[in-house]
Amino acid sequence: MPADRTAAAPAAAPAAPLPGQAVPAAPGGRPIPAVLGADLEVPVRGGRLVPYANLDYAASAPCLEPVSAAVAAALPAYSSVHRGAGYASQLTTARYEQARHTVRAFVGARPGDAVVFTRNTTDATNLLARALPEGTTVVVFDTEHHASLLPWAGAVRLAPPAFPGEAVRAADEALAALADRDGPKLLVVTAASNVTGELWPIAALAHIAHRHGARILVDAAQLVPHRPLNLTALDLDYVVFSGHKLYAPFGTGVLVGRPDWLAEAPPYLRGGGAVRAVHGGAGTAGPTTAGPTTAGPTTADTTGAATTGTGTAGTGTAGTGTAGTGTGTAEVEWHDDPEARHEAGTPNVLGAVALAAACDALTATGWTALMREEERLLARLRAGLAGIEGVHELSLWGPDHPRVGIVSFVVDGRTAREVAEALSNEYGIGVRDGKFCAHPFVRHLLGGIENSGGCADDGATAASAVRASIGIGTTAEHVDRLVGALRELVSRG
């Protein structure tokens, strides 16, 4: 019997936004901002142009439209910051320092915390590594991105934990074992994995660190584009992250945290802006005295126990130094303010403006709307991958552990590079393949998966993975295209 055409039709579902359009917000909130490049078309095999499906956000996120607008607004009056009497310099200085305040508020920093602008997360982490007091011992998990794994001399390396509680226990035991060792201690951990997207128990780890008199550094590069972060509420000592993952691809990162170690350390770079005064007579000036960091060997532990390397972190002479050879000397008075002390030279003002604009845009939109949209798309992606035989998602703590919009996987019988190239060349989909600058962790994850494929990303045929990552601007069509493409690739055998 034909349906009654006079019956009331069910309410239509809201239309999905077209590429480039802002996603409607929840009632009372601002729309989720659009990203630049949403209408980009790319060539695929056969010469056709198709809309680009960007699923590579964990490497670099596209620029938000409000970020681009803020940079464009700052450009006409762009000038060098600090010590300039001209109007353009004064205005640019005000924008630069306001960016510092914006970032401080975005991460919920304490009033006295330093906010030092750097090039990226790697640069920010290396800055802190150079500022460690002499004799500092660092404890770090092998699950970390290389930016957090490699800068430390003589670090204690911890094996990948089987579950979150084991991460807390391992950190507790490692720090307890260091109780008799002189010098400060620093625990280094990610907030969200750049390989699996899984969230780490940073509040519990901070509590453990402080119970042992240690400090904690959190790599928040993969967290802050997806979730709010409150440094004060979590009682974190240091946080690092990058603009290019936070929809502000203009070459800026940041180190936020306690100022004392930074104020006492030799300047990260030596030059203009980092000094209060330079005194002395004629002569050939040599470098200001600063002892090098001595890198001892790092010992990787695969048994789960803490293995202590050797070496001394962060040695050097801070404060007023004597420079020079020849007939005269130059005495340098470095800034006590850690922000000025470690930002020598003309800074990346537009990068700071862009980073602040991204922070403002995400805050104004509201995390509820952003997280709801991401979780909807992430669930769609993971369910689609789970339905394809021969596709295996990588996970440290199981499929139900909370995570941000990052999914890494392998395909039986195909290398990661083959999969990534086919997705790009045939379907216009951008993903990442390799070990994602986390070689020890990816090798650990792939250890239990047979036929995991591989590509020569470290000079030898070694197992690797494919990573799809989502964010603002990702659509259901992008997700469905990836799932459909993988299903077709698998069906070919």
Side-chain angles (χ1 to χ4, degrees), residues 183-212:
K185 315 296 187 295
L186 179 69
L187 176 63
V188 179
V189 66
T190 188
S193 170
N194 76 304
V195 178
T196 66
E198 291 166 306
L199 298 174
W200 276 63
I202 55 176
L205 289 166
H207 175 74
I208 288 295
H210 296 152
R211 194 172 75 184
H212 290 283

Side-chain angles (χ1 to χ4, degrees), residues 28 53 63 77 131 138 142 158 214 243 258 271 300 325 334-336 376 396 402 413 456:
C63 183
V138 175
D142 267 352
L158 304 181
R258 301 192 184 278
T325 58
W334 301 109
H335 269 297
D336 294 328
R376 179 183 72 86
L396 181 63

Side-chain angles (χ1 to χ4, degrees), residues 153-417:
V156 175
R157 296 266 291 269
L158 304 181
F163 51 92
E166 185 175 307
V168 178
R169 178 191 60 76
D172 189 14
E173 293 178 354
L175 291 168
L178 297 170
D180 295 333
R181 182 180 293 192
D182 292 335
K185 315 296 187 295
L186 179 69
L187 176 63
V188 179
V189 66
T190 188
S193 170
N194 76 304
V195 178
T196 66
E198 291 166 306
L199 298 174
W200 276 63
I202 55 176
L205 289 166
H207 175 74
I208 288 295
H210 296 152
R211 194 172 75 184
H212 290 283
R215 295 188 179 186
I216 185 170
L217 163 65
V218 170
D219 175 356
Q222 298 294 350
L223 180 74
V224 292
H226 305 276
R227 298 286 190 278
L229 174 69
N230 190 305
L231 182 152
T232 301
L234 292 168
D235 200 17
L236 308 179
D237 299 292
Y238 303 98
V239 167
V240 291
F241 60 95
S242 293
H244 73 98
K245 298 186 191 296
L246 194 66
Y247 307 98
F250 290 88
T252 291
V254 67
L255 167 64
V256 183
R258 301 192 184 278
D260 52 345
W261 288 0
L262 296 168
E264 296 167 4
Y268 186 45
L269 299 174
R270 295 171 175 81
V275 298
R276 283 198 304 242
V278 180
H279 307 283
T284 302
T288 300
T289 303
T293 297
T294 302
T298 299
T299 303
D301 178 358
T302 59
T303 66
T307 300
T308 304
T310 59
T312 302
T315 62
T317 303
T320 301
T322 301
T325 58
T327 59
T329 60
E331 290 194 356
V332 181
E333 296 180 34
W334 301 109
H335 269 297
D336 294 328
D337 173 16
E339 294 162 354
R341 188 182 188 90
H342 296 291
E343 290 184 2
T346 299
N348 181 359
V349 176
L350 295 178
V353 168
L355 180 59
C359 294
D360 280 338
L362 297 183
T363 301
T365 301
W367 287 105
T368 299
L370 293 167
M371 291 168 60
R372 181 186 298 119
E373 177 67 7
E374 178 180 297
E375 288 169 359
R376 179 183 72 86
L377 292 169
L378 180 60
R380 189 184 190 107
L381 172 58
R382 296 183 68 210
L385 296 180
I388 306 174
E389 185 176 357
V391 174
H392 309 277
E393 181 182 353
L394 303 186
S395 178
L396 181 63
W397 293 330
D400 297 328
H401 187 78
R403 65 197 66 214
V404 298
I406 298 172
V407 177
S408 293
F409 58 92
V410 293
V411 179
D412 286 348
R414 288 181 178 267
T415 68
R417 177 53 54 88

